[in-house]
Amino acid sequence: MALPSSARLTIDLNALAHNYAVLRAEADGAEAAPVLKGDGYGLGAAEVGRRLWAEGARRFFVARLSEGEALRAALGPGRPATIHVLDGMPAGTGARMAASGLTAVLTTLPQVEVAASFAAQSGQDLTVGIHVDTGMNRQGLTAADAQALAQSPDRLRGLEVELVMSHLGSATEPGAARNLAQLEAFRPLRALFPQAKASLAASAGVFLGPDYRFDIVRPGVSLYGGGPFERPHPDLKPVAIFEAPILDIRTIAPGETVGYGGGLVMQRPTRVAMVAAGYADGLIRAGKSGGAGWFAGALRRFLIINMDLIAMEIGDAPAAPGQMVELMGPNALIDDLAEASGTVAHECLVRLSERAERVYLGGV
Ligand SMILES: *Cc1c(COP(=O)(O)O)cnc(C)c1O
């Protein structure tokens, strides 16, 4: 059999289905509505969405209108999911939203106006969600705006508010006082729209306990294997397995410098594998310090991450060109990679580029 000659990104949709089941069990009766923004966290919203539909998901969240359109097309008429667009309904987008059957999550009073006048023009009631800001200060109606809106039903004429949601700013720190403050702020705001379903929790919020779950939870990163609290979670499986072949093995003499610049001078003879992956594949260059790949039964530290090449110290492990190194997967955990890269698992996933060969397991 020919040795693989290029990097490979395996997207394990069976692991995705497993994680979805874990999240559903944790959500304990709340509807688990997957978040597929950023092209399904870089893993392919079409493939991810179709598999999750097969697992019972009937409601999805995306950020952009264009993401909603693409997901609707990928699901096709046989999978009539509710697709919520978190950007809401900026002026002029009503017709496109309607053409793809997307449900806006309105984020400002001007958007409420846009939606109401679109409903009036089209002569049909429009189902919408409303995003209220409970203290993240990023997106959503202020409490005062939400109260004003609820007190003037005229502004909601033609709109059926089916969802009221907010987003937690510190859920990855379960002990943060901000979580409870946002929960307390959310309760009276959701009560302004008593007929609507309520949603507060993303991945981390699902694990904050029953008070945070309401009717719908919106997991993203944990579906794809990232731990809810930015640390590996034992029940979640990696969905993205990124491997690349060794191109060459070299021994660098003491006093020699590896790679660009003068900073990396070897103190002792150092055996290094040159791995055919780099930041053009979406790995993060900053991850060289503290980052590691899995090879021959151990984690091996990165010395450099260039555009196309990683230098990885391999000690005296037996190694040959063509052997694969796991850069992300069941042993090189995404939460560790994220920490080494100074970022979150979300970013490690969405940066994965199209250069590596992509293989889907468990597609439908
Ligand atoms: C991204 C996002 C989510 C999902 O967050 P994760 O941390 O990936 O689970 C949920 N809700 C909103 C509003 C988001 O922007």
Side-chain angles (χ1 to χ4, degrees), residues 35 37 41 86 131 138-139 165 167 201-204 218-222 346:
V35 177
K37 61 191 182 186
Y41 287 48
L86 292 167
H131 192 149
R138 186 180 74 166
Q139 197 171 36
M165 61 165 273
H167 194 44
S203 296
R218 311 184 305 272
V221 73
S222 288
H346 311 59

Side-chain angles (χ1 to χ4, degrees), residues 221-246:
V221 73
S222 288
L223 281 171
Y224 310 100
F229 302 129
E230 299 182 355
R231 298 305 311 145
H233 188 286
D235 297 341
L236 299 172
K237 294 184 178 174
V239 175
I241 297 114
F242 187 60
E243 300 161 292
I246 293 175

Side-chain angles (χ1 to χ4, degrees), residues 62-291:
V62 295
R64 303 274 111 86
L65 167 55
S66 58
E67 292 175 343
E69 290 172 330
L71 180 60
R72 177 63 74 210
L75 293 173
R79 301 182 187 90
T82 298
I83 301 175
H84 292 290
V85 176
L86 292 167
D87 280 354
M89 192 180 280
T93 58
R96 274 175 67 187
M97 296 283 298
S100 289
L102 306 175
T103 308
V105 184
L106 306 174
T107 64
T108 64
L109 287 180
Q111 284 197 1
V112 173
E113 261 180 66
V114 169
S117 45
F118 183 76
Q121 267 169 40
S122 64
Q124 276 180 11
D125 277 9
L126 188 65
T127 301
V128 296
I130 290 185
H131 192 149
V132 293
D133 182 9
T134 51
M136 189 176 178
N137 295 302
R138 186 180 74 166
Q139 197 171 36
L141 272 65
T142 63
D145 284 349
Q147 279 149 7
L149 184 62
Q151 280 158 18
S152 49
D154 263 12
R155 294 160 100 170
L156 287 167
R157 198 183 300 280
L159 301 182
E160 192 205 322
V161 181
E162 192 259 345
L163 168 74
V164 56
M165 61 165 273
S166 189
H167 194 44
L168 297 168
S170 298
T172 57
E173 301 157 52
R178 194 183 185 196
N179 294 323
L180 200 56
Q182 287 198 259
L183 176 64
E184 295 301 330
F186 185 58
R187 285 197 171 112
L189 294 177
R190 65 110 1 148
L192 295 172
F193 307 94
Q195 76 290 359
K197 293 181 173 166
S199 176
L200 181 61
S203 296
V206 175
F207 292 84
L208 288 181
D211 286 352
Y212 289 84
R213 292 181 200 131
F214 293 92
D215 303 307
I216 297 167
V217 296
R218 311 184 305 272
V221 73
S222 288
L223 281 171
Y224 310 100
F229 302 129
E230 299 182 355
R231 298 305 311 145
H233 188 286
D235 297 341
L236 299 172
K237 294 184 178 174
V239 175
I241 297 114
F242 187 60
E243 300 161 292
I246 293 175
L247 290 173
D248 189 18
I249 294 140
R250 324 168 60 101
T251 301
I252 322 263
E256 287 294 311
T257 303
V258 181
Y260 295 113
L264 202 60
V265 182
M266 299 298 100
Q267 303 302 315
R268 51 192 164 75
T270 307
R271 235 168 121 250
V272 171
M274 294 298 165
V275 183
Y279 59 77
D281 300 292
L283 296 166
I284 293 170
R285 188 166 168 268
K288 64 177 179 284
S289 34

